[in-house]
Amino acid sequence: MTVEEAIQLQLRMAHLVEHRAPEGFEPKVAAGLDVAYTSDRFIATAVCVDIATLDIVDSAVHHGVADFPYVPGLFSFRELPALLPALAKLRVTPDVLVCDGQGLAHPRRFGLACHIGVQTGLPSIGVSKQALGQYEAPGPHRGDWKPLVDNGETVGRALRTQHGVKPVFVSIGHRIDLDTATELTLKLSPRYRLPETTRAADHLGREVLAGRVGVQDVRD
């Protein structure tokens, strides 16, 4: 797929994003997703976390060679082919996906969290360390937030997950609303800036890359 074809696909698929959670949505298991790189090789990790206890209940890894270049705004075309096989190897089906990246906070309103949500049909959110758009600094307390705005449209929230710590940037991916995404992010971030799902997926990827955990140990 060329860069222009990828952009056109995003534009066509953006209207498929659902901005509401399913009726009676009470997620029990969240899956954190991450991709670590060494040159063009990747390790994609999916780690399921019990939302109530934050215990890890399942994990899986997929590795290979990236076949799409890094292009700003087209992150999902590089990472989705790595993440979908990792998700498919899980024995536990997550209720919601938590991406280390953007959802609606994207130039074409179709970031990684939207793309993987639409592709899988699972509710998804994006929790990013970087802002796409403008925002005022939220208050200093955990749970304080301010709208994240791009071209006059609210696309997410700058959310303070810990007192006095830099905010994260929450946006919906698919089949979820912004209030629910905010609440879920806070539940998953009781001690640190980033959600435990993101931390666990990132940690597993680093352990595999460093050779401290073999891919065969996490169902490759």
Side-chain angles (χ1 to χ4, degrees), residues 98 125-128 142 159-162 168-171 178-190 192-197:
V98 182
I125 66 172
V127 182
S128 178
R142 170 177 160 83
L159 173 67
R160 195 85 68 182
T161 55
Q162 301 298 322
V168 295
F169 303 94
V170 180
S171 57
L178 194 49
D179 284 341
T180 303
T182 300
E183 179 184 354
L184 181 61
T185 301
L186 288 171
K187 282 183 179 179
L188 291 169
S189 311
Y192 301 101
R193 180 191 180 207
L194 295 177
E196 290 300 312
T197 41

Side-chain angles (χ1 to χ4, degrees), residues 115-130:
H115 203 157
I116 200 165
V118 169
Q119 193 78 23
T120 62
L122 292 170
S124 58
I125 66 172
V127 182
S128 178
K129 297 181 285 291
Q130 306 295 328

Side-chain angles (χ1 to χ4, degrees), residues 5 12-13 31 40 60 96 102 109-110 121-122 140 157 161 167 169 184 204 219:
E5 287 170 340
R12 291 196 301 271
M13 293 183 71
D40 278 338
V96 61
Q102 311 290 359
R109 306 296 182 258
F110 201 70
L122 292 170
R157 287 176 180 170
T161 55
F169 303 94
L184 181 61
L204 177 57
R219 203 161 39 265

Side-chain angles (χ1 to χ4, degrees), residues 41-154:
R41 295 194 63 81
F42 64 77
I43 295 288
T45 53
V47 180
C48 289
V49 171
D50 183 297
I51 295 172
T53 66
L54 301 181
D55 292 335
I56 294 174
V57 296
D58 196 11
S59 61
V61 165
H62 180 70
H63 64 103
V65 177
D67 59 3
F68 194 89
Y70 175 75
V71 179
L74 298 178
F75 193 51
S76 65
F77 292 91
R78 185 171 173 86
E79 302 225 325
L80 202 65
L83 290 170
L84 289 176
L87 276 173
K89 294 173 183 177
L90 292 171
R91 290 175 297 187
V92 174
T93 300
D95 301 307
V96 61
L97 307 178
V98 182
C99 295
D100 181 20
Q102 311 290 359
L104 282 186
H106 180 272
R108 289 170 290 280
R109 306 296 182 258
F110 201 70
L112 174 62
C114 297
H115 203 157
I116 200 165
V118 169
Q119 193 78 23
T120 62
L122 292 170
S124 58
I125 66 172
V127 182
S128 178
K129 297 181 285 291
Q130 306 295 328
L132 188 145
Q134 296 76 45
Y135 66 98
E136 296 179 9
H141 302 295
R142 170 177 160 83
D144 289 343
W145 61 268
K146 289 290 186 179
L148 180 64
V149 179
D150 182 51
N151 289 329
E153 180 182 354
T154 297

Side-chain angles (χ1 to χ4, degrees), residues 6-28:
I7 290 172
Q8 291 303 314
L9 183 60
Q10 286 181 330
L11 292 171
R12 291 196 301 271
M13 293 183 71
H15 76 281
L16 299 175
V17 172
E18 297 178 17
H19 297 229
R20 292 184 180 181
E23 187 174 351
F25 183 61
E26 294 183 1
K28 301 293 191 298

